[in-house]
Amino acid sequence: LIACDAPAHAQALNLAGVERVLIAKPPVDHFEAHVSQRALEAAIDTLRPAVVLAGHTIDSLDFIPAVAARGRHGLAGDVTGLRFGAEGLVAHRESHGGKLLAEIDFPGKDTVIVLLRVGAYERASGAGAASTEALEVDLQDCARTEHVEFRDAPAGDVDIEKADFLLSIGRGVQDAENIPRFEELADRLGAILSCSRPVVDAGWLPSARQVGQSGRTVSPKVYLAMGISGAVQHIAGMSRSGTVIAVNSDPDAPIFSAAHYGAVADMLEIGEALEQQLRRPRS
Ligand code: FAD
């Protein structure tokens, strides 16, 4: 734990399975890659761990590869699964834009650093009985960058991660002109509108609405996917949904493998039928 106010955070790491929380006090109160690098190098030198796990995050990418390169450790990024085989630790990750699954082993490496994709594993829970110890390392003179200011990303209008019901639209929506129809449909259904990446790339919806590997990870009770093919990068963000319903005009679309219910149909026609149904007065 590398933080100025480490004791305040130590308790959050004291979860079942954690034996020791090591604390290093940085000279600056913001994330600084060189500080984290030196602290992790010191921890590895002291403890000689077989495996170091870190999140595949922007901050990790800023210093972990340097630790691995300098220490000549094994390294794998964006890992979605791990197993121990006869060959030792094996990491799973996608390759070739998600079309292949690669298995990576680390022959001859005493220490392997693995960056796990966020959301690949369940969040740890349960109180632990970890001790808290100071890590022996001097971090005083290693900060080399100065934090100037934080700039907020444009505020997302909704938090799709908290929604119980998501109506998610993909490139099958075809045109920017069709977006308001689905916004209204989501509203009438009591759902929040989310989308796949091409819809954001086209500028039709803000990035806060994007589900997937480079967007948000969602776990609504109901995920209604319309006109979404089901690329692995999209599935990565919604595979924890309760009930998945897919509407796609292509019967071979991969989204149907992730869906509990599916309709091979035109999403615009289904949208129209739902609108009519919702307009009909209840008897
Ligand atoms: P398409 O793949 O083009 O699919 C459109 C679907 O709509 C097709 O299945 C088609 O049959 C169907 N369709 C067309 N017309 C209709 C109609 N009238 N009615 C019904 N169905 C219709 N993608 C994400 O979504 N989220 C991410 O976070 C993400 N991150 C990525 C990160 C990386 C590093 C990379 C390489 C890619 C990422 N992608 C992400 C992109 C991803 O690979 C796919 O390209 C993307 O998910 C495809 O979006 P789509 O399903 O909307 O479009």
Side-chain angles (χ1 to χ4, degrees):
L1 179 56
I2 308 157
C4 285
D5 51 351
H9 299 294
Q11 196 50 37
L13 294 181
N14 190 1
L15 298 165
V18 179
E19 286 176 11
R20 282 194 282 171
V21 177
L22 296 178
I23 289 181
K25 196 170 175 352
V28 287
D29 62 3
H30 60 272
F31 169 75
E32 213 286 347
H34 305 94
V35 171
S36 297
Q37 179 185 334
R38 188 178 290 180
L40 181 56
E41 284 173 343
I44 292 175
D45 285 348
T46 311
L47 300 166
R48 303 263 160 217
V51 183
V52 176
L53 300 179
H56 186 80
T57 64
I58 300 282
D59 285 353
S60 291
L61 290 171
D62 232 2
F63 73 100
I64 298 262
V67 175
R70 281 163 51 102
R72 307 185 80 78
H73 307 306
L75 174 68
D78 203 18
V79 169
T80 53
L82 291 169
R83 69 176 168 82
F84 276 98
E87 61 281 60
L89 184 73
V90 177
H92 296 185
R93 56 162 295 165
E94 291 165 5
S95 72
H96 295 78
K99 293 196 166 49
L100 297 178
L101 183 65
E103 292 201 332
I104 302 168
D105 59 359
F106 310 90
K109 295 295 181 189
D110 294 332
T111 296
V112 174
I113 310 181
V114 173
L115 301 178
L116 284 174
R117 182 183 292 180
V118 176
Y121 283 90
E122 289 285 343
R123 193 183 284 249
S125 62
S131 60
T132 303
E133 299 165 26
L135 178 69
E136 289 298 323
V137 59
D138 180 6
L139 301 174
Q140 285 319 305
D141 62 350
C142 58
R144 287 189 227 154
T145 57
E146 184 194 349
H147 171 73
V148 179
E149 63 172 330
F150 280 111
R151 287 207 191 150
D152 288 331
D157 50 347
V158 286
D159 186 353
I160 60 171
E161 289 173 24
K162 293 198 178 124
D164 278 341
F165 181 7
L166 285 175
L167 165 57
S168 209
I169 54 173
R171 202 173 350 223
V173 73
Q174 291 168 19
D175 205 295
E177 282 176 11
N178 292 325
I179 300 288
R181 272 182 59 184
F182 285 89
E183 279 174 330
E184 198 181 322
L185 179 60
D187 207 34
R188 281 170 177 260
L189 285 168
I192 300 289
L193 190 66
S194 58
C195 63
S196 65
R197 180 157 146 177
V199 175
V200 171
D201 289 347
W204 298 344
L205 283 174
S207 58
R209 302 263 179 162
Q210 182 186 319
V211 172
Q213 182 185 324
S214 52
R216 304 291 172 97
T217 301
V218 297
S219 51
K221 289 182 182 147
V222 178
Y223 190 80
L224 171 53
M226 299 179 88
I228 293 178
S229 59
V232 280
Q233 295 89 355
H234 188 82
I235 302 291
M238 48 66 72
S239 58
R240 296 241 173 85
S241 303
T243 301
V244 178
I245 307 163
V247 177
N248 197 301
S249 50
D250 175 5
D252 296 323
I255 189 74
F256 288 124
S257 308
H260 300 90
Y261 301 96
V264 178
D266 185 326
M267 67 179 280
L268 301 174
E269 284 177 15
I270 295 282
E272 174 71 34
L274 282 170
E275 281 158 21
Q276 282 180 10
Q277 187 70 28
L278 291 163
R279 255 185 248 126
R280 206 173 281 169
R282 291 181 189 198
S283 54

